[in-house]
Amino acid sequence: MIDDQVLSDAIEPERYEFFEQPAYNFNFDRRDFVKALGLGIVFVVPLTRALGQQQGESGRGAPNQAIPNDVGAWIHIDEDGGVTAFTGKVEVGQNTRTSLVQAIADELHVPIPSVHLVMGDTDRTPFDLGTFGSRSTPTMAPQLRKAAAAAREMLIAMAAEQLKVQPNDLRIVDARFVNHDKTKTLTLAEVARGRKLVKVIPDDIAITQPKDWTVAGTSVVKVDASSFVTGKHRYTTDIKRDGMLYGKVVRPATFNATLVSSDTKAAEALPGVKVVTDGNFIGVAAPDQQTATKAANAIAVDWKSPGQPANAELFTLLRQPATERGGGGEGGGAASRPQGSIAEGMAAADKKLEQTYTVAYIAHAPLEPRAAVAEWSGDKLTVWTGTQRPFNVRSDLAKAFHIAEEKVRVIVPDTGSGYGGKHTSECAVEAARLAKAAGKPVKLVWTREEEFTWAYFRPAGVIDIKSGVKNDGTITAWEFHNYNSGPAGIQIKYDISNNDIRFHPANSPLRQGSYRGLAATANHFARESHIDELAQAVNMDPLAFRLKNIKDERMRAVLTEAANRFGNPRLAPGHALGIACGFEKGGYVATYAEIAFEPPSAKEDPKNKRVRIVRVVEAFDCGAVVNPLQLKNQIEGSITMAIGGALFESIEFANGKILNPKFSSYRVPRFSDVPAIEVVLVDRKDIPSAGAGETPIVTLAPAVANAIFKGTGIRLRSLPLAPKGLAAS
Amino acid sequence: MARVTSLNVNGKKMAVDVDSSVSLLAVLRNDLDLTGSKYGCGEGQCGACTVLIDGVATRSCITQVARVADKRITTIEGLEKDGKLQPLQEAFIKADAMQCAYCTSGMLMSASALLDKNAKPNREEIITAMNGNICRCGTYQRIIEAIQIAAGTQASGLRYAESGQEVAS
């Protein structure tokens, strides 16, 4: 069982979508996975408890040892020497598949192509809370390494016995056991042949330290790249099952609508169409997509919708304290108690500042919309779906259909992105419901409009900051209130002894939840903009001001690295520079952003100027770097995504409808928006690897806001900064 | 109602039986099981569905199948020849231009059309030709480099050597 403390520690308050369902039951039932895997040797890593405590538990169906209930990962070496590892993590484009395979290959000393990683299959992989929070690298990689390290040592011992040499005379090189004078050798296959073993790893087994990495630490390209460049890889949306129907859901007219009446006769009359009505759920399944759409459109529905707010009232609403159950309670994360005295800090200040910053709701807009293929076979339900939390989906399906979790299998193909937006199960449940009624497999793919409307958004937010600073640049007071968007990234690395930092939950008019970086995007925008305003107030250079108020050596290091790489070039006329630094999820980041101002299009006010980002230098420290190539890819991707949230992305809504639910009305960054990006990796082999999927996104928006101020004297305090150019802001 | 009963896809004549108003994308994916072309938006705004019609990059999600019944259709599945990857495909791998890779098919088709018309495009020309394709993961810079590698016009100080090892950044 995952105990409650682990669960609540793992979930940040602003992951509102986690709390939408009742608490669920993590019943990880021991299966005969050993039998299913066939001959060979299986290495199992326990998750939380030391091996000693498990000796008293009885194994079921385990030939050799008691298998613990809480398992992090397992590795199977088969009779042909093939290495298969199993993890509950999933691949959504962060290329975790590649870095985890690297970790195994590195530990086991086998070639990368010989390692196969099974991910996100609830029948075959261990339980996992979900692929979120930049946790795969810091927590899953070490577990797989432990299994691989144990495998290596045990296999060496077995090989030594077969070769009649001492174990310490043997090494594994490229999946072969070789003794020192190279006179005796054995392959992995020859050692594994004819055995059927399960070995539980002691929790304290040593894994290779970063300074000794040989395969990890190098730039390995995406492991199955050729299946993607040929279009062969089957995403959920590409899966076909025999007799499969195509599903479509009839959506309510607005959010919070109640069904008054529906007339499904015309839809039911269409050939091969099955209609399902159940409370507010109305859906169809049809032999082809066109008929499904026709059937859905043929259903006449009467909805009753309450009046609901629009963008204009949003920030006033968000200041009201929450009355509904949100995520966590008030707080500021780990250390939310005020420190020192704000009153004293303000009294000691030469300059005082008080400002408000806002961020809009934005959408994840993953290019593969959410989708599910559901198939009932007897009393077993299998659902393929692109989700970041397969075990959560399994649990929701079991509850929705009142069946045991053991009767549900969720499989996650490598998926067309998520960015924190694919944590919930609605598409899987919808597809399964249609499949149950139709008695055939059903594929349900959300349209782009549904994806922009019926998923959850990154929370909007209002942030008030009150601060004081001495003329010599010392920040004396820092009072920070975040309304609605969340406490991630709210804590400071600045040395300010008088601080009061709080998060206030609110009732959100729109459904909201996790997004890449969570509230760290909002909190860094507000903080790093305000820091710049303080620097301005005492006429100090923004870099010098930050260095004066930060002792943390890793933060100083990334600032210095970014500064050095940006250099001191003479900026072209009409260009301006802004900087920002940040910390989140164990990663330190500093960004230098150079922008240019451009004239508006012919149709616009000639005095309006547009902002274009021309050069970004970003320095990043996440401890020991596993794969420099993929890491840079993630950082560049984060920066590119951040441009949207910084400059032009914003969900427009009114009266329970999303007004811009398409790419033609919700602008996302394109080729023409991307600047020259230079990434500086600060590789700390002496520090355990942190994750990197999120932190690089947090500093781009404030760096750009600071550059806009530098170039125009205009201080913009709302994201998006300039969706229609500067004059309209 | 008219039906379309045959299409020329990747040099082969393929039998179908579909209503003339169905999108080419739906026919490729659902009737011919050529799932390499992707659905991303259904309004021709994201480029994930890009195929070549008589060599011209076209958004198949907003193309009615009847309009291409007598034309030469090329999809991502038609790029490789006898299991051998084209230089563009190799370049995407070398430049590590893929994260979730959902946009990759459309990117390759748009890039293929570009290089067929303009063998040595400069950076601006690449951006103009490719701007209808969205990569939400943000690998744009690497896609540009991949196209330059395939065209043989990559800037000196190449970031990616043969082995995928970074040489200089």
Side-chain angles (χ1 to χ4, degrees):
Chain A
M1 286 297 172
I2 304 292
D3 58 61
D4 285 343
Q5 186 54 44
V6 171
L7 181 59
S8 56
D9 281 352
I11 299 182
E12 296 90 329
E14 67 260 50
R15 295 198 186 277
Y16 300 104
E17 76 282 8
F18 279 50
F19 298 95
E20 287 172 348
Q21 315 285 339
Y24 26 81
N25 188 354
F26 296 106
N27 238 336
F28 183 53
D29 194 18
R30 180 53 40 213
R31 312 174 201 99
D32 284 304
F33 70 88
V34 173
K35 284 208 193 109
L37 287 172
L39 291 170
I41 313 170
V42 182
F43 298 87
V44 173
V45 184
L47 184 57
T48 50
R49 296 186 227 118
L51 184 62
Q53 288 172 263
Q54 290 153 0
Q55 303 291 18
E57 290 168 18
S58 61
R60 285 182 298 168
N64 279 1
Q65 282 172 272
I67 301 170
N69 278 332
D70 301 322
V71 173
W74 51 65
I75 287 183
H76 178 230
I77 315 278
D78 66 34
E79 285 212 297
D80 302 313
V83 178
T84 307
F86 298 79
T87 173
K89 295 295 182 198
V90 302
E91 172 62 57
V92 287
Q94 30 15 344
N95 282 326
T96 290
R97 176 182 286 285
T98 300
S99 64
L100 291 179
V101 164
Q102 258 177 291
I104 296 162
D106 187 83
E107 204 64 54
L108 197 44
H109 302 181
V110 296
I112 282 178
S114 73
V115 179
H116 178 55
L117 185 62
V118 176
M119 302 181 83
D121 180 336
T122 60
D123 263 12
R124 301 177 71 197
T125 63
F127 173 83
D128 188 83
L129 197 56
T131 305
F132 60 85
S134 304
R135 306 294 300 151
S136 298
T137 296
T139 64
M140 181 52 61
Q143 288 174 64
L144 287 169
R145 275 188 179 273
K146 284 183 184 169
R152 184 188 66 232
E153 295 311 309
M154 189 183 186
L155 291 165
I156 284 180
M158 289 172 160
E161 205 183 296
Q162 275 180 241
L163 289 172
K164 309 227 186 315
V165 298
Q166 288 302 308
N168 58 17
D169 187 27
L170 275 187
R171 283 166 31 241
I172 306 185
V173 177
D174 254 7
R176 296 189 75 86
F177 300 89
V178 188
N179 65 349
H180 273 111
D181 57 21
K182 301 197 176 55
T183 52
K184 296 187 182 210
T185 135
L186 211 57
T187 65
L188 210 56
E190 285 165 326
V191 175
R193 193 156 299 149
R195 302 193 197 254
K196 192 173 166 69
L197 294 173
V198 176
K199 167 117 174 120
V200 180
I201 315 300
D203 195 51
D204 57 359
I205 190 160
I207 59 179
T208 308
Q209 290 307 294
K211 64 177 170 58
D212 299 318
W213 288 350
T214 52
V215 174
T218 68
S219 291
V220 173
V221 295
K222 193 177 177 71
V223 291
D224 44 3
S226 61
S227 83
F228 292 93
V229 295
T230 54
K232 286 202 178 80
H233 171 73
R234 295 244 171 198
Y235 295 85
T236 301
T237 40
D238 302 324
I239 290 175
K240 285 256 170 47
R241 305 293 297 170
D242 284 341
M244 188 179 80
L245 303 177
Y246 295 82
K248 191 145 176 72
V249 177
V250 176
R251 299 289 170 191
T254 68
F255 302 131
N256 302 306
T258 37
L259 181 61
V260 176
S261 65
S262 66
D263 183 352
T264 60
K265 282 196 285 299
E268 282 163 21
L270 293 171
V273 169
K274 179 80 191 157
V275 178
V276 177
T277 54
D278 187 340
N280 269 11
F281 175 78
I282 307 174
V284 305
D288 62 85
Q289 228 164 358
Q290 199 187 30
T291 306
T293 304
K294 207 160 140 195
N297 291 343
I299 297 178
V301 195
D302 211 2
W303 297 98
K304 186 164 114 138
S305 299
Q308 291 167 80
N311 288 80
E313 301 103 82
L314 174 61
F315 300 124
T316 313
L317 279 173
L318 293 183
R319 286 183 179 285
Q320 311 306 314
T323 52
E324 297 157 1
R325 192 235 194 286
E330 298 228 354
S336 61
R337 278 181 303 283
Q339 323 240 310
S341 154
I342 295 291
E344 275 176 29
M346 295 300 260
D350 295 315
K351 302 264 171 20
K352 303 196 205 16
L353 226 54
E354 198 168 329
Q355 296 293 358
T356 296
Y357 305 83
T358 65
V359 304
Y361 290 107
I362 62 178
H364 308 76
L367 203 62
E368 183 187 18
R370 66 206 61 218
V373 176
E375 180 170 310
W376 293 86
S377 181
D379 61 351
K380 175 118 188 197
L381 170 64
T382 303
V383 180
W384 291 262
T385 187
T387 175
Q388 294 172 249
R389 305 189 62 216
F391 289 87
N392 176 49
V393 174
R394 180 180 74 164
S395 161
D396 283 357
L397 286 166
K399 273 203 285 297
F401 296 99
H402 308 288
I403 57 181
E405 285 189 12
E406 293 73 41
K407 296 295 186 189
V408 181
R409 180 180 185 186
V410 176
I411 302 171
V412 184
D414 288 8
T415 294
S417 76
Y419 319 118
K422 289 181 175 172
H423 288 171
T424 50
S425 58
E426 55 273 83
C427 189
V429 173
E430 289 163 355
R433 189 169 241 142
L434 291 170
K436 188 154 216 270
K440 292 189 180 154
V442 169
K443 173 149 75 180
L444 178 65
V445 179
W446 281 25
T447 63
R448 181 55 54 186
E449 288 88 335
E450 286 177 299
E451 185 59 47
F452 268 119
T453 306
W454 296 101
Y456 52 89
F457 303 109
R458 183 202 68 179
V462 182
I463 296 171
D464 292 334
I465 308 180
K466 204 165 90 169
S467 63
V469 63
K470 290 222 250 274
N471 282 330
D472 73 354
T474 310
I475 306 173
T476 57
W478 182 264
E479 188 179 337
F480 188 108
H481 296 273
N482 175 313
Y483 297 88
N484 190 60
S485 60
I490 209 174
Q491 290 304 328
I492 49 178
K493 288 289 180 186
Y494 291 92
D495 307 305
I496 309 170
S497 43
N498 302 308
N499 68 71
D500 185 356
I501 298 170
R502 297 179 205 235
F503 158 61
H504 308 274
N507 294 336
S508 168
L510 297 186
R511 185 179 175 209
Q512 58 183 17
S514 302
Y515 174 92
R516 192 176 200 172
L518 299 177
T521 50
N523 287 322
H524 280 80
F525 167 65
R527 174 167 59 248
E528 287 297 296
S529 297
H530 196 82
I531 289 288
D532 233 55
E533 297 194 60
L534 285 173
Q536 165 76 9
V538 295
N539 268 316
M540 249 179 111
D541 167 78
L543 175 63
F545 184 78
R546 284 171 173 82
L547 291 175
K548 181 166 179 67
N549 287 281
I550 297 176
K551 283 198 214 56
D552 184 300
E553 76 61 33
R554 290 176 77 185
M555 188 66 89
R556 295 175 68 89
V558 289
L559 274 165
T560 311
E561 291 284 347
N564 290 343
R565 173 64 71 93
F566 191 85
N568 235 332
R570 190 184 179 77
L571 296 184
H575 287 216
L577 169 67
I579 76 173
C581 64
F583 168 81
E584 175 63 11
K585 301 222 165 63
Y588 293 78
V589 58
T591 302
Y592 271 55
E594 178 185 346
I595 64 175
F597 301 99
E598 295 181 335
S601 69
K603 291 178 277 183
E604 295 173 300
D605 178 348
K607 287 200 296 299
N608 192 16
K609 282 191 284 199
R610 290 193 168 273
V611 175
R612 190 164 64 85
I613 307 172
V614 298
R615 182 183 179 208
V616 172
V617 170
E618 186 154 304
F620 188 60
D621 167 6
C622 58
V625 174
V626 175
N627 185 324
L629 184 66
Q630 304 302 346
L631 178 55
K632 287 195 182 190
N633 208 340
Q634 281 298 296
I635 295 168
E636 291 161 15
S638 287
I639 291 168
T640 303
M641 195 164 195
I643 291 172
L647 285 182
F648 38 72
E649 284 185 44
S650 170
I651 287 289
E652 307 296 315
F653 63 96
N655 267 319
K657 286 189 202 275
I658 302 301
L659 304 177
N660 57 342
K662 301 181 184 197
F663 285 129
S664 50
S665 47
Y666 182 97
R667 182 177 164 190
V668 298
R670 291 182 181 266
F671 277 94
S672 51
D673 295 309
V674 173
I677 300 177
E678 296 159 63
V679 171
V680 182
L681 296 183
V682 179
D683 190 357
R684 293 292 301 261
K685 287 283 190 290
D686 57 320
I687 298 176
S689 309
E694 298 177 89
T695 307
I697 204 176
V698 306
T699 39
L700 193 278
V704 170
N706 294 339
I708 291 175
F709 175 77
K710 206 70 198 295
T712 64
I714 304 171
R715 174 56 70 175
L716 298 175
R717 301 188 183 91
S718 294
L719 293 185
L721 292 166
K724 295 178 176 40
L726 290 176
S729 307
Chain B
M1 195 168 317
R3 312 272 308 164
V4 172
T5 54
S6 152
L7 291 174
N8 178 344
V9 184
N10 298 330
K12 288 207 279 281
K13 186 168 165 187
M14 299 198 156
V16 292
D17 180 20
V18 292
D19 185 271
S20 59
S21 64
V22 176
S23 74
L24 173 59
L25 180 67
V27 177
L28 290 171
R29 291 176 52 76
N30 302 333
D31 297 87
L32 295 175
D33 201 31
L34 293 169
T35 57
S37 309
K38 308 298 183 195
Y39 168 83
C41 71
E43 55 163 354
Q45 283 281 314
C46 77
C49 68
T50 307
V51 299
L52 305 184
I53 306 296
D54 289 337
V56 175
T58 308
R59 313 296 181 213
S60 62
C61 72
I62 49 173
T63 302
Q64 288 195 340
V65 67
R67 284 195 12 235
V68 297
D70 55 355
K71 302 204 193 291
R72 204 170 28 100
I73 302 166
T74 313
T75 71
I76 182 76
E77 291 90 347
L79 275 197
E80 64 180 307
K81 298 279 183 280
D82 304 316
K84 193 161 152 45
L85 298 179
Q86 295 252 329
L88 251 180
Q89 292 169 302
E90 300 273 13
F92 263 64
I93 298 176
K94 192 182 296 185
D96 197 50
M98 292 176 286
Q99 290 185 29
C100 85
Y102 194 76
C103 73
T104 298
S105 299
M107 292 287 182
L108 282 166
M109 299 315 288
S110 292
S112 178
L114 166 65
L115 292 182
D116 279 348
K117 270 207 318 267
N118 180 352
K120 306 262 180 210
N122 62 31
R123 190 185 167 89
E124 283 313 305
E125 287 167 330
I126 293 174
I127 289 173
T128 302
M130 299 296 293
N131 216 30
N133 287 72
I134 292 174
C135 170
R136 190 53 167 158
C137 294
T139 66
Y140 294 119
Q141 183 159 300
R142 289 163 187 262
I143 293 172
I144 292 171
E145 278 167 8
I147 293 170
Q148 289 171 331
I149 290 172
T153 59
Q154 69 270 24
S156 63
L158 176 66
R159 297 204 307 172
Y160 306 102
E162 283 298 323
S163 64
Q165 286 275 37
E166 296 260 6
V167 284
S169 38

